[in-house]
Amino acid sequence: MNDPRPMPPTPDFDAVIVGAGFGGLYMLHRVREAGFRARVFEAGDGVGGTWYWNRYPGARCDIESVDYSYSFSPELEQEWQWTERYPRQPEILAYLNHVADRFDLRRDIRLETRVTAAQFDEAAGLWRVETDRGERCTARYCVMATGCLSVPKAPELPGIERFAGATYLTAAWPRDGVDLTGQRVGVIGTGSTAIQVIPQVARQAAHLTVFQRTANFSVPARNGPLPEGEQQRIKAGYRERRALSRQSLFGIPVALPDTPRRTRDIPPAELNQTLEALWAQGGAMSLLAATPDVLMDPDANTRVAEFVRGKIRATVKDPRLAELLCPSTHPLGTKRLCLDSEYYETFNRDNVTLVDLRATPIQTLTEHGLRTTAAEYPLDALIFATGFDAMTGALLAIDIRGRGGRSLGEAWADGPHTYLGLASAGFPNLFLITGPQSPSVFTNMVMSIEQHVDWIADCLDYLRAHSIARIEAAAPAQADWEAHVAAVADATLMPQADSWYVGANVPGKPRVFMAYLGGLGPYRQRCDQVAAQGYAGFELSPAPTTV
Ligand code: N01
């Protein structure tokens, strides 16, 4: 082939990876094993991503520890001992640090370094990456392992500058912890984070005031120690367990039902028995997996939601409080179904007050507390558990520019545009780990991360083996994928809720359902098919050769 373009210059790295959480660590391991030169940039002063930042009291994963862990190394699987059914944040962070050491990853990670810009140099066919430390480097590929929930939503209350007490953001919790003993504490928010924080703070504070705008559905975790014998039994069957998870809907070891039974066809007594058993066993994902049409069929949803409301009414002694805690604004599961340890029970304590912000909205923070339209609540400390600019926030915080200098912000002005959640047209050689329009937040994140990392690493291998310099999502394939993602979402109840899944929690954010709901197993098959067909739906450009 006679190509007038000059040979591409040698970049500083084959791949720059942004972020050192579950995604970035495994990506580094995979590309290094394949002989690529890589550099990870991480804003924190340690590895761990989400689990580095979210150190608030009660922080815990809602997927079981034996499943919320890497599956790529059978040795790692066998040697790491989990202590509880659902792992606490310090344990997950310790695990990720162990992984960083065990696979000698730290030498290629630059901590306390935030990537601020990444621009594709079309002539050179390279990404030019800049950091907040003034570092600049080039890379053939840029892999964004920036996480789906890593940009906390800034507290947006009037009068915040006047408040004389302490304020805390759950996603940027002080490293040395906070002693709230004897204090009057407020918590704003009742999402997954707040539902974990509230029982913990209630045990410490003199008084806790919970400011609730939207009541949420929560299922008991039934957390406890993971007995050694049970762990050994699971480890003995790990390969089968992981294989099942990989093909499942949610990335957990629950098989896809052959012919799912419609919840509405299950006699009420039988359904009640099943739900009681699931409630006693604990776990949010298993409740959804056991009634797969709960997110599709309003009747199924009402039946399961009413069961959960019954549990709330049976737990909370004050009937008025119980009604306030019963969700009524959205179908069950259309905001993340939370997992708790004694959340509803906490409202039986004498030192806990629930404030209904729908009936009495916040007016302002004052010097000594928070004033609603009904009363002023004196506070020494206020905790914001107010969520994240999810899915797109971390990507759009970086000045990413692709072909023609077009920014990702411009390209995504009306919502994210991706092919398979892995790549975006106009941004060659840029990969997204668990990007928008992939199953990501609707699954066990570690399983989804591994699937993306493996796919990307195999793709880089393929490009090298076939002397391909550029890969870019083709616009028509991207449009087809987006239409499919939207059609699947529209067939469910999910878009109905004002959730972070649709960006409703961030003022001005385009309302688009941002995750793929087709299930991890079917999605994996689709991605594998694309690869097997020589990366169908991507445009591949060969590396120029000399005459
Ligand atoms: O955030 P959220 P989160 N005034 O957005 C309220 C994952 N996660 O950090 O619903 C008053 O869900 C807001 O009210 P409303 C998980 O995927 C996992 O809790 O907008 N209230 C809502 O109640 C989860 O879904 C785990 O009306 C305000 C809350 O703040 C995701 O992270 C643990 C307000 C925000 O809830 C995000 O969860 C924790 C305002 N101005 C998180 N602004 C586990 O693995 C916001 N709110 C267990």
Side-chain angles (χ1 to χ4, degrees), residues 56-59 170 173 187 192-202 208 383 385:
Y56 58 83
T170 48
W173 198 257
V187 171
S192 304
T193 300
I195 279 176
Q196 293 183 326
V197 167
I198 285 165
Q200 300 287 324
V201 173
L208 169 65
I383 298 172

Side-chain angles (χ1 to χ4, degrees), residues 66 77-82 226-238:
V66 289
E77 273 176 344
Q78 294 298 325
E79 73 199 14
W80 185 264
Q81 295 294 318
W82 294 104
L226 184 57
E228 178 55 24
E230 190 183 340
Q231 189 157 181
Q232 284 317 319
R233 184 187 55 73
I234 290 168
K235 286 182 172 180
Y238 238 146

Side-chain angles (χ1 to χ4, degrees), residues 60 62 153 189-193 196 213-214 335-336 385 387 500:
R60 190 184 289 285
D62 58 3
K153 224 183 67 162
T190 45
S192 304
T193 300
Q196 293 183 326
R213 192 163 65 183
T214 307
K335 283 184 176 237
R336 172 85 167 205
W500 58 259

Side-chain angles (χ1 to χ4, degrees), residues 205-228:
H207 195 90
L208 169 65
T209 308
V210 176
F211 297 96
Q212 170 182 280
R213 192 163 65 183
T214 307
N216 242 324
F217 291 97
S218 188
V219 176
R222 312 279 181 224
N223 185 42
L226 184 57
E228 178 55 24

